[in-house]
Amino acid sequence: MLFPDSITRFPRTDWKHVPFSCPPIPRGMLDAKARWAACTASKRWQAAFDDDNDGHLTTGTPGQLDAVDFAVAVFGVAYRMKDYMRVISRHRKSTIASGEGWRAITDLVIQTAYDIACTSVSNRFQNFTLPELDYVRKFARGAMDSVWDEGIDSLGTLQRTEYDEDLFTDRYMPDPVSIPLRAFTVVNHELDHDPEAEDKKRVLLVDACGDVVCGYRGKDLPDEYRKVVHPWDHTSPPGTPSQSTTSSPTSSTPSCDNQHPTDVSLH
């Protein structure tokens, strides 16, 4: 299968259709944590590409990139390739026949994403020690299994593997203290046909621990709590640059202009 350059770009920058969960994300929710971690790690790599130090990653700082950042960002690319496969399958009206068949194919996808990342990073940061593929798979395989959807990615069932949350994702989870209060409307069917329902409804502001901090009538709710907010706009995970997740590659990012579409042989 041929993958367009925009799909295989490392690091991934387009996350607009990814279903993120609002933090804090509970332990064991592997799919949500994998998505959040992959986006955060990818942003860190993008910041490094945008502001490298003459081809050398800055060491000894909180923003230092390591093997975990690499492995998690590789999954970000593989995850996008996986979703592209889903689109093509829907277009062709075909679905992979079994979970094990899907795993074999996505093993190749992970390897391809790894190769792309190795090329992009080694061309820019000669002092970065690239981890082995087996190390990357310790996260990427379990993370890929966590985002598998039965009947959509493949037919049949899948015996999912897991990954080490402590090692690969917990470092990317935002500090609960940094998470702003969120507004929840209390359901009141007595207001269903009331033209002033928006002003009368009860709205509770809840903190990251799920505790109610205060409440308002709709008309008194502060403006900052009225708009629908994407999870990424609620808080910036630790070490995340304040930039758009859909930013275009700059002149200092790996260029795809002269590359050919990536081909993954699917047997």
Side-chain angles (χ1 to χ4, degrees):
M1 177 182 290
L2 290 175
F3 292 87
D5 293 337
S6 60
I7 300 297
T8 58
R9 181 191 186 281
F10 181 90
R12 177 177 179 173
T13 56
D14 185 356
W15 298 86
K16 60 186 176 184
H17 297 303
V18 175
F20 289 108
S21 299
C22 286
I25 301 173
R27 186 168 185 81
M29 200 169 174
L30 298 183
D31 56 340
K33 293 181 78 171
R35 294 184 185 103
W36 190 278
C39 188
T40 308
S42 297
K43 283 185 170 186
R44 292 179 180 178
W45 277 106
Q46 184 61 56
F49 278 117
D50 288 342
D51 189 28
D52 69 271
N53 182 22
D54 296 325
H56 289 76
L57 288 171
T58 303
T59 58
T61 69
Q64 180 180 357
L65 294 166
D66 59 16
V68 170
D69 294 305
F70 184 83
V72 175
V74 166
F75 165 69
V77 176
Y79 180 25
R80 194 173 190 202
M81 294 170 69
K82 188 274 291 186
D83 281 352
Y84 180 78
M85 288 167 47
R86 177 187 289 186
V87 172
I88 296 302
S89 294
R90 185 164 58 243
H91 178 72
R92 295 176 177 175
K93 297 182 179 180
S94 64
T95 306
I96 298 171
S98 68
E100 289 308 310
W102 177 84
R103 175 177 279 127
I105 291 171
T106 50
D107 274 342
L108 294 174
V109 166
I110 291 169
Q111 181 174 347
T112 300
Y114 170 81
D115 291 341
I116 291 168
C118 285
T119 299
S120 296
V121 172
S122 62
N123 284 345
R124 289 292 300 281
F125 305 112
Q126 293 77 23
N127 69 324
F128 183 79
T129 301
L130 295 167
E132 297 293 331
L133 176 59
D134 285 346
Y135 178 85
V136 173
R137 286 191 189 280
K138 288 180 180 179
F139 173 70
R141 183 65 268 164
M144 187 70 81
D145 286 357
S146 75
V147 296
W148 172 82
D149 287 318
E150 181 179 357
I152 299 177
D153 288 311
S154 77
L155 302 176
T157 59
L158 179 71
Q159 295 297 318
R160 300 176 193 259
T161 56
E162 298 184 351
Y163 61 79
D164 186 338
E165 296 176 65
D166 294 329
L167 175 61
F168 288 111
T169 57
D170 284 358
R171 65 161 67 181
Y172 301 105
M173 297 300 106
D175 184 344
V177 175
S178 71
I179 301 174
L181 300 178
R182 281 173 282 187
F184 292 84
T185 301
V186 177
V187 176
N188 183 354
H189 292 298
E190 293 180 0
L191 299 176
D192 284 352
H193 303 291
D194 190 330
E196 298 180 352
E198 287 300 309
D199 289 339
K200 295 179 180 179
K201 65 184 180 182
R202 183 72 171 168
V203 181
L204 305 178
L205 297 186
V206 179
D207 65 17
C209 297
D211 296 326
V212 176
V213 176
C214 58
Y216 292 91
R217 290 297 176 189
K219 64 179 180 179
D220 300 320
L221 184 68
D223 290 341
E224 61 263 34
Y225 298 109
R226 292 180 180 275
K227 62 181 180 179
V228 177
V229 181
H230 187 279
W232 275 103
D233 296 328
H234 268 295
T235 180
S236 294
T240 302
S242 57
Q243 63 182 57
S244 170
T245 59
T246 57
S247 59
S248 301
T250 66
S251 58
S252 62
T253 59
S255 174
C256 296
D257 294 342
N258 298 320
Q259 296 180 8
H260 298 289
T262 301
D263 186 8
V264 176
S265 297
L266 308 181
H267 301 290

